Amino acid sequence: MHQGSGAGAGVGGEGDEPGRSGPFATREIAPGEAGPVVLAYEPDVDGAPDPGEIVWTWVPYEEADGRGKDRPVLVVARDGEAVLGVFLTSKPHRESGYVPIGSGPWDDRGRPSWACAERVLRVHERGMRREACVLDPLPFARVAADLSRRYGWRPGRAR
């Protein structure tokens, strides 16, 4: 696991909760909304979100009622001026739709995490709070394989 820049409180957005509202809000999208998606491991610890990195942003609850919370999100693909990602949870899940990725510096208590492949998020660079770290290639590949099977997204080559 590689540490990201993580310094500072954000790269833009709304007040103390980048991604919560406005034009750079993080939002759940239907997988088909994204157009052709290429899943490629392309981390570049430069302050901008890249596939293979875990970033922090405000994530709306599934109920879409305006509530949500700040959480880590695994970036899986580029989508125009934004990126696509799946949120992480430390709550153990054994059901389909959650891919185990292990533990890492995104969780300050070192708990194992799962990527929720059932909910796709569009994250704008100005809507993320910070880069947390780079996920190792193997757990990224497991998440990408699940998303590819689930949504027909193409695996890609790292640049």
Side-chain angles (χ1 to χ4, degrees):
M1 200 65 50
H2 310 289
Q3 288 286 69
S5 60
V11 292
E14 311 297 317
D16 292 332
E17 293 181 307
R20 183 169 189 163
S21 62
F24 306 112
T26 297
R27 65 181 189 91
E28 185 171 355
I29 65 165
E33 253 184 83
V37 174
V38 178
L39 302 161
Y41 184 76
E42 302 175 329
D44 180 12
V45 182
D46 59 358
D50 300 296
E53 296 175 359
I54 294 172
V55 301
W56 281 83
T57 187
W58 189 87
V59 174
Y61 290 147
E62 195 167 10
E63 295 80 12
D65 61 3
R67 295 177 304 139
K69 72 180 192 178
D70 195 45
R71 42 167 83 237
V73 171
L74 172 61
V75 177
V76 297
R78 298 181 192 291
D79 184 35
E81 294 183 15
V83 293
L84 301 178
V86 292
F87 77 83
L88 305 182
T89 179
S90 58
K91 183 177 173 186
H93 287 275
R94 302 213 188 292
E95 64 269 18
S96 171
Y98 289 86
V99 181
I101 64 165
S103 59
W106 60 87
D107 184 274
D108 60 0
R109 293 176 26 205
R111 298 171 294 186
S113 294
W114 287 258
C116 178
E118 294 180 332
R119 293 185 61 205
V120 177
L121 304 168
R122 181 174 283 137
V123 179
H124 290 269
E125 180 177 347
R126 291 180 55 193
M128 72 171 210
R129 184 164 54 86
R130 67 178 173 91
E131 279 182 308
C133 63
V134 173
L135 185 64
D136 288 332
L138 187 57
F140 179 86
R142 284 195 304 264
V143 173
D146 186 277
L147 293 169
S148 182
R149 274 191 308 275
R150 188 177 296 274
Y151 305 124
W153 293 350
R154 286 190 353 242
R157 281 213 166 97
R159 51 182 159 135

